[in-house]
Amino acid sequence: MSYTGPDFDPPPERRPRRGPLTVALAALVCGGLLGWSVYAATGGTDDKGAEAGGSPSAAPRTPSPAASSPTAGGSSPSAEGEESPASRTPSASAPAAAGPLKGKVVVIDPGHNPTNVKHTAEINRQVDVGTHRKECDTTGTSTNDGYAEAEFTLDVAHRMRALLEKQGATVKLTQDRDRPYGPCVDERARIGNAAKADAVVSIHADGSGAGNRGFHVILPGSVNEGEADTRAIVAPSRALGERIAGNFVRVTGTAPSNYTGGGTGLVTRKDLGGLNLSTVPKVFIECGNMRDSKDAALLTSGAWRQKAAQGISEGIVSFLRG
């Protein structure tokens, strides 16, 4: 997802804090970073560019209806790896299986909606996100070949749902291509709240400039203004984000972002309605940069998307099991 649009207005430019990772994150990523070093040495990437320190990304472009196809510009969900599980509506979640997450509720928020492109007037309307007003939603970004972020996020969400349900969790999606557009960013937050979710993860992919690579997890900052009050969820959300970051490195072999987060893979934001309105632990993850050709090659690979789903899911399991 680009940093422009609802929930992604550019943050003020600032010098990123550079310091040691927290003990928890360091313990989680040590194995993953070792795997990353092997991956890089075998040709995974040679882009070590300087961190952009939170500078705005390129604005997303509206994909054509054809580009919203799961096969546009990349592999279909069933290509190069496990097939994406069949879609279900959010209200038709499978009965929870016996497992370590029995009794836990996880809400997965696939960023955007593949049909937003047909409802630009509706998604451009302003909604109240607690601290300010902004657009209901955007179409999201896409690869240069037209593979839409909204298709990517929904595919990863389906894969995560299958993995987490096997662990016994009750899983709800905020949207499953079952509505004409949206939901709006404020409603996405309220879906997690109403479900009394133990963890919520919003899935995205960035639309930054070429050469900007890697993933980052966005954590809520402490906000207490208007309808927004994140003070109770800041600490558990950070713990969730650290577990996801560590497991994402370990499973995918993908390095933390080289353009934001100071190499930690963690970024704190106070301007996102999807986080500010949440009353339960919640994070966003930008799985990679769709506008960089090397990252795009990963994001359009079914096999890599399965690894991404596994890494995020294992981070959630680790968080929920303590």
Side-chain angles (χ1 to χ4, degrees), residues 118-137:
K118 299 177 182 179
H119 298 274
T120 54
E122 291 89 342
I123 66 172
N124 284 333
R125 68 183 179 86
Q126 298 279 307
V127 297
D128 186 350
V129 298
T131 57
H132 56 292
R133 296 183 67 83
K134 65 193 327 179
E135 293 87 352
C136 160
D137 201 358

Side-chain angles (χ1 to χ4, degrees), residues 36 39 43-45 73-75 79-80 143 147 152 155-156 205 213-215 248 252-255 287-290 292-308:
W36 163 248
Y39 173 78
T45 179
S75 306
E80 299 184 67
T143 66
Y147 180 60
F152 167 82
D155 180 67
V156 172
R213 297 199 61 195
F215 78 94
F248 198 84
T252 67
T254 302
C287 296
N289 175 22
M290 299 197 98
D292 177 83
S293 61
K294 292 181 179 179
D295 269 11
L298 300 176
L299 297 165
T300 55
S301 161
W304 188 88
R305 291 194 299 269
Q306 184 65 27
K307 291 179 180 179

Side-chain angles (χ1 to χ4, degrees), residues 188-233:
R188 289 174 184 266
R190 293 184 177 110
I191 289 171
N193 298 344
K196 299 186 184 330
D198 297 286
V200 184
V201 179
S202 189
I203 311 300
H204 290 277
D206 208 357
S208 187
N212 291 341
R213 297 199 61 195
F215 78 94
H216 61 280
V217 179
I218 303 175
L219 314 173
S222 182
V223 175
N224 181 24
E225 182 180 345
E227 294 184 25
D229 187 354
T230 63
R231 291 172 295 176
I233 68 163

Side-chain angles (χ1 to χ4, degrees), residues 159-172:
R159 296 169 188 268
M160 287 176 58
R161 178 171 62 188
L163 292 167
L164 290 165
E165 286 179 343
K166 287 179 181 178
Q167 295 288 319
T170 297
V171 180
K172 182 180 181 67

Side-chain angles (χ1 to χ4, degrees), residues 172-195:
K172 182 180 181 67
L173 271 60
T174 59
Q175 61 91 12
D176 199 0
R177 207 193 302 262
D178 57 333
R179 54 192 296 160
Y181 66 90
C184 297
V185 294
D186 56 337
E187 184 182 352
R188 289 174 184 266
R190 293 184 177 110
I191 289 171
N193 298 344

Side-chain angles (χ1 to χ4, degrees), residues 37 76 82 111 144 207 298 301:
S37 65
S76 67
E82 270 186 47
N144 292 332
L298 300 176
S301 161

